[in-house]
Amino acid sequence: MVCIFPKDETTDFLLPLYDKLCSLGFKGLHVDTNDNIELVIEAIDKAKVVVFLGHGTSYSLMGTPFNGDKTNIIHKENISILKDKRIFLLSCRSSEFCETYNLYPSIGFGMMPTGLEDVHSMIDEDVNFPALEQQDIDVYNKALINAISNAFNSGSMDKMEDLYNKVKLYANIEITNCLLQKNTPMYREVADLIQDMKNECTIFKQQV
């Protein structure tokens, strides 16, 4: 089991989740993928279970930025290394990524506003998207980490559907906590976005 976590200051908030997965037996690779891409590819190729933490699109998983530009580490040309593995991708549009490349069994997600850049991009796409501030994003990110950490703490990649259901369960708990604790001015909007994360989390159990 391997957990790939490219170094990127915009995803540093995921470090507690990475540490949790390592404590559960995952071999962790928290590296600059520009300098260590061969190591990352080899680790994925050899593993039967892969967790990815980072940025993504519907057609790629992203690595460490290079000179401020985004980089793609898993894409159409090397997607074969993810075939026939159990996969959990905590990255934006990863459910579309799994569907695009017919990856199964796998769990993926939709868009997740984990940074101000994400929020601005989503507002550009939808003027009704809430104009979250950093405080709101921090509450969302903490809820995301809690839900996924607790799901892995009580679930397993050996039972993908059970893990998927645990993500949903603990996301519901985070929604309730957000509404009760009111830790940020836009707590209702944040609760709605946690609900979106839960709804857009998708499991692929068979070939599509």
Side-chain angles (χ1 to χ4, degrees), residues 120-135:
H120 297 155
S121 176
M122 294 167 91
I123 289 174
D124 287 342
E125 294 181 13
D126 177 5
V127 294
N128 294 316
F129 190 85
L132 304 181
E133 300 290 344
Q134 189 61 51
Q135 181 181 353

Side-chain angles (χ1 to χ4, degrees), residues 3 26 44 47 51 60 63 66 75 77 124 161 185 194 206-207:
C3 177
F26 282 84
I44 294 174
V51 172
S60 69
F66 183 73
H75 41 75
E77 285 72 24
D124 287 342
E161 189 161 8
I194 301 169
Q206 59 186 8
Q207 189 169 1

Side-chain angles (χ1 to χ4, degrees), residues 33-34 55 60-66 69-74:
T33 55
N34 295 308
H55 292 298
S60 69
L61 300 179
M62 295 179 178
T64 305
F66 183 73
D69 293 328
K70 295 178 179 178
T71 62
N72 298 321
I73 58 172
I74 306 296

